[in-house]
Amino acid sequence: MRKIRKRMVTVCIVITAGLLLLAGRLADLQLFNTEHFGRHHINLIEESVQQRTQSVLINNGRGSMLDRNGTSLSGGDEPSLVLFPFIRGLDWPGKEISRITGMSEGILISLVSRADEPLILAKKDGAELTPNDLDQINSLKFPGIYGVMVQTSSAERPAPHLTGFTAEMPEVMKTRYPEKKLPVNTKIGASGLQKAFDEFLLPESETRLLYHVDGNGNPLFGVNVKYIADSSSHYPVQIKTTIDEENQRVMEEILSSSPIQKGGAVLLDIQSNGILAMASKPELDPNGDGSGMKNYMLESMKPGSVFKIVTAAAAIESGLDHPSARYNCDLNPYGAPEEDRQLGTLDFDKSFSRSCNYTYNILSNELIKKDPDYLEKTAANLGLLEPAGWSGPVFHYSLFKQLPEEKGGTVWKDERDKGSKKAVAQAAIGQKDVQATPLAIANMMASIARGGEKMTVKAVEEILYKNGTVMYRFPDQEQPGPSIDRYTVQKLQKLLRLVVEDEKGTGSKFRSLPFLTAGKSGTAETGKKDVSGQNLINKWFAGYFPSDNPKYALVVLDADTVASRASANQVFYDLAAAIGSGS
């Protein structure tokens, strides 16, 4: 009897403890942590309301991006018909809706009869609507039928690598905005300008149509549909970029039809130094294997002979550009016979236009005797070592970067290599440890075209309030540090023109363009091979046009390719022809 009583007491204690734990759990859910439950800080009140409602998201409240002319780069608002499922139990005006939308009444009835949640019908569904059609739909004043402008996001939006994308990242959001109370499913900037300007773009509130339902999906409180929206005239903001949508589309189309698999192109407006177009390959795919996530226009790469601009500038400033000097260009960079490329004896100018490597062996080893740091000093003066993107104080940011993913450039990794003639010769032609981003090279070209004026590159011109007034305008900004002298710039301009004008120059192809062009080619050995054992190279062409009245600086990179299919020159030609002819 005593054992039975002891067991009963034990069972009662266990049951009581369980009830207390359950009561504590319920108290935690309903009293203490209802607005920030669990590690993701879920708002249980909001979630319970959502379970009892059906809604249509009209606009997520996140700020948008515009091109330089005010055209949306992130979709837009599309005239749409919204049909709530509960109308199937009512005598709704199907014939009128059919007449306005151009959709079959039978199809409309079928869609509504099978719907479990509100339907949004737009152009892709066969509903050809205009803003005037929306007024006609709403004039019917039938509950559950609405004509609204619904936010859209194009799957083929322009400049995806530059503008970036958003994603649900609760842990990142918590770390990035520890003081903000944002819904756990809020999308935040994951890359590009979406990430850089994320705090400005964060949604203040969503715009929705919603109604409450019972367990069977039938409306509670009659058929009262509510329109929930923020009436602010200031938010969400708009980020006005420097992108020209037409030039961007042209660039993407030409790159897509080219053999380039890795690399891309960047186009700058020389006067404003804004990015008019930027595209990277492989294409951006946040759900892929990660190969397309990098924007190669912001990545440091071996520049090859494009870097001869730096060595030539140093030689000019040191007085080594003697008109009478001659170089044996049948020799390779190290002075041995060149088997594949016989150029003969050339002067300083022709050595540049025809890209003679041996000349730069001689020049670089003379220069480094005068100044062991000449190469990195000149590269810095031409803006190749520091990130080129705009940075500076903006509101509470002491150093806001428009392009925070941009890398810097390098010349030497080991100072001891300056004592090796071969290493010096390699660095002088953009090999060894030399690296620069396509954006920095485009910026160098723009600076030379402007007469030597160094500026940072802008991807965004203004942050605008919802009503179009300016929240912040990014000023033009000089790139810090000294620059090359005026005479050197003029001589470089002449050399870059000669690359095209010389019938044997590496850019002679561009003589057939309907305007004058200046530039420099580059071929860099990467030290890698493809699956068939062929050497992989980085093939470049960087330049500006028209060279007599410069408007555009353009760089094209075909990275990790084989020589037989390298297409940087052809893509540069096609882009220049399309963009220059339309200006």
Side-chain angles (χ1 to χ4, degrees):
M1 190 72 177
R2 190 175 293 175
K3 287 183 179 181
I4 293 173
R5 187 178 299 152
K6 190 174 182 180
R7 287 176 184 172
M8 290 178 65
V9 170
T10 301
V11 170
C12 289
I13 291 172
V14 170
I15 292 173
T16 302
L19 291 172
L20 289 172
L21 287 171
L22 181 59
R25 183 64 167 173
L26 289 172
D28 185 45
L29 288 169
Q30 298 184 11
L31 299 176
F32 305 122
N33 291 310
T34 54
E35 296 184 5
H36 46 85
F37 179 75
R39 64 188 183 92
H40 293 307
H41 300 277
I42 297 170
N43 189 318
L44 296 175
I45 296 174
E46 290 182 356
E47 293 296 318
S48 66
V49 170
Q50 288 180 15
Q51 287 182 356
R52 300 195 307 272
T53 61
Q54 286 193 356
S55 66
V56 175
L57 180 64
I58 305 299
N59 191 298
N60 64 14
R62 186 174 177 84
S64 58
M65 292 198 182
L66 311 174
D67 86 337
R68 67 193 318 216
N69 300 310
T71 302
S72 175
L73 294 175
S74 50
D77 294 330
E78 185 177 16
S80 304
L81 168 67
V82 178
L83 300 175
F84 282 82
F86 66 75
I87 66 172
R88 59 176 164 245
L90 306 173
D91 185 18
W92 60 285
K95 287 183 180 180
E96 277 295 299
I97 298 300
S98 174
R99 179 188 62 78
I100 296 170
T101 63
M103 294 182 70
S104 161
E105 182 183 6
I107 291 176
L108 288 168
I109 292 172
S110 175
L111 289 172
V112 171
S113 66
R114 292 183 281 110
D116 295 322
E117 55 187 31
L119 296 169
I120 304 176
L121 303 177
K123 185 176 180 179
K124 64 181 177 59
D125 307 297
E128 296 284 348
L129 295 169
T130 66
N132 183 57
D133 293 330
L134 301 188
D135 291 338
Q136 290 187 54
I137 291 169
N138 293 327
S139 69
L140 298 174
K141 296 183 179 179
F142 196 91
I145 300 177
Y146 301 91
V148 293
M149 299 295 291
V150 176
Q151 182 186 44
T152 63
S153 57
S154 173
E156 298 181 356
R157 56 191 173 83
H161 279 93
L162 177 60
T163 57
F165 67 97
T166 60
E168 291 183 17
M169 301 182 291
E171 294 302 322
V172 174
M173 182 174 65
K174 181 181 175 183
T175 302
R176 191 181 296 177
Y177 305 114
E179 304 299 323
K180 292 182 180 291
K181 293 183 179 181
L182 297 169
V184 69
N185 61 345
T186 300
K187 288 186 176 182
I188 60 174
S191 72
L193 298 179
Q194 289 284 1
K195 183 177 180 180
F197 288 81
D198 191 46
E199 188 168 357
F200 297 100
L201 294 167
L202 283 174
E204 294 289 321
S205 65
E206 297 176 333
T207 301
R208 289 181 176 272
L209 289 172
L210 62 85
Y211 75 103
H212 297 282
V213 297
D214 61 20
N216 296 318
N218 297 316
L220 290 171
F221 318 118
V223 287
N224 182 27
V225 175
K226 294 181 180 180
Y227 179 80
I228 310 281
D230 186 357
S231 59
S232 171
S233 61
H234 289 88
Y235 298 96
V237 302
Q238 302 169 97
I239 305 299
K240 187 178 181 181
T241 71
T242 60
I243 291 292
D244 182 285
E245 186 188 26
E246 184 177 347
N247 287 334
Q248 182 68 36
R249 295 287 187 191
V250 167
M251 179 177 285
E252 290 174 5
E253 288 171 6
I254 289 174
L255 275 173
S256 293
S257 61
S258 78
I260 294 179
Q261 297 177 5
K262 178 181 176 182
V266 55
L267 178 75
L268 299 185
D269 180 316
I270 288 175
Q271 183 176 0
S272 68
N273 224 42
I275 299 173
L276 293 175
M278 177 183 282
S280 179
K281 298 281 291 285
E283 294 179 0
L284 181 68
D285 182 8
N287 301 315
D289 60 5
S291 61
M293 291 298 292
K294 282 186 178 180
N295 183 349
Y296 284 103
M297 299 301 95
L298 305 180
E299 293 290 322
S300 294
M301 313 284 280
K302 289 183 181 294
S305 292
V306 171
F307 196 74
K308 287 176 182 173
I309 297 170
V310 174
T311 311
I316 294 165
E317 291 189 330
S318 297
L320 298 181
D321 56 329
H322 306 295
S324 60
R326 296 292 183 271
Y327 305 91
N328 183 357
C329 292
D330 289 337
L331 303 179
N332 70 14
Y334 317 117
E338 180 71 78
E339 297 179 2
D340 300 330
R341 200 161 176 259
Q342 299 288 294
L343 298 177
T345 300
L346 301 176
D347 62 12
F348 179 85
D349 290 5
K350 292 288 178 64
S351 290
F352 185 88
S353 68
R354 300 181 188 183
S355 208
C356 169
N357 290 328
Y358 181 65
T359 300
Y360 289 84
N361 175 341
I362 301 298
L363 293 172
S364 61
N365 277 287
E366 284 189 47
L367 286 164
I368 207 162
K369 289 177 186 177
K370 294 184 177 183
D371 183 358
D373 301 327
Y374 88 91
L375 205 54
E376 54 265 52
K377 284 181 180 178
T378 311
N381 291 350
L382 285 164
L384 291 182
L385 300 188
E386 295 298 321
W390 194 100
S391 63
V394 177
F395 296 125
H396 65 274
Y397 293 97
S398 59
L399 186 63
F400 181 85
K401 295 182 179 183
Q402 288 194 2
L403 302 169
E405 296 163 343
E406 181 191 5
K407 305 297 192 299
T410 59
V411 176
W412 301 103
K413 289 184 178 178
D414 190 338
E415 291 285 318
R416 292 173 297 181
D417 287 336
K418 294 179 180 179
S420 166
K421 287 187 176 181
K422 283 190 173 181
V424 171
Q426 288 175 340
I429 60 175
Q431 292 286 166
K432 196 68 175 68
D433 301 325
V434 177
Q435 291 195 335
T437 67
L439 181 64
I441 290 173
N443 193 35
M444 174 180 68
M445 286 296 179
S447 177
I448 293 170
R450 280 193 301 268
E453 181 187 6
K454 289 168 62 179
M455 297 172 64
T456 58
V457 178
K458 285 192 282 189
V460 171
E461 192 67 44
E462 297 172 324
I463 304 174
L464 303 175
Y465 286 116
K466 180 180 178 181
N467 60 12
T469 58
V470 176
M471 172 193 281
Y472 186 83
R473 179 177 288 114
F474 292 91
D476 292 342
Q477 185 184 72
E478 289 186 7
Q479 200 170 19
S483 58
I484 57 177
D485 63 53
R486 181 70 178 176
Y487 171 78
T488 303
V489 171
Q490 291 175 339
K491 187 62 188 285
L492 287 177
Q493 290 173 341
K494 177 185 174 184
L495 291 174
L496 292 168
R497 289 195 301 269
L498 188 62
V499 169
V500 176
E501 294 167 0
D502 181 357
E503 62 181 9
K504 294 183 179 179
T506 57
S508 60
K509 175 184 180 67
F510 307 115
R511 289 191 299 169
S512 62
L513 286 168
F515 44 80
L516 298 175
T517 305
K520 185 71 185 79
S521 62
T523 303
E525 297 175 0
T526 65
K528 296 181 281 187
K529 296 181 182 293
D530 69 359
V531 291
S532 63
Q534 296 185 80
N535 292 325
L536 295 177
I537 60 171
N538 292 339
K539 187 66 178 177
W540 300 73
F541 199 88
Y544 58 88
F545 56 92
S547 58
D548 56 341
N549 181 26
K551 293 183 179 180
Y552 306 104
L554 175 63
V555 171
V556 177
L557 166 64
D558 189 357
D560 289 347
T561 187
V562 297
S564 60
R565 69 165 181 261
S567 57
N569 283 34
Q570 184 61 52
V571 171
F572 187 102
Y573 185 98
D574 293 341
L575 283 170
I579 293 166
S581 299
S583 62

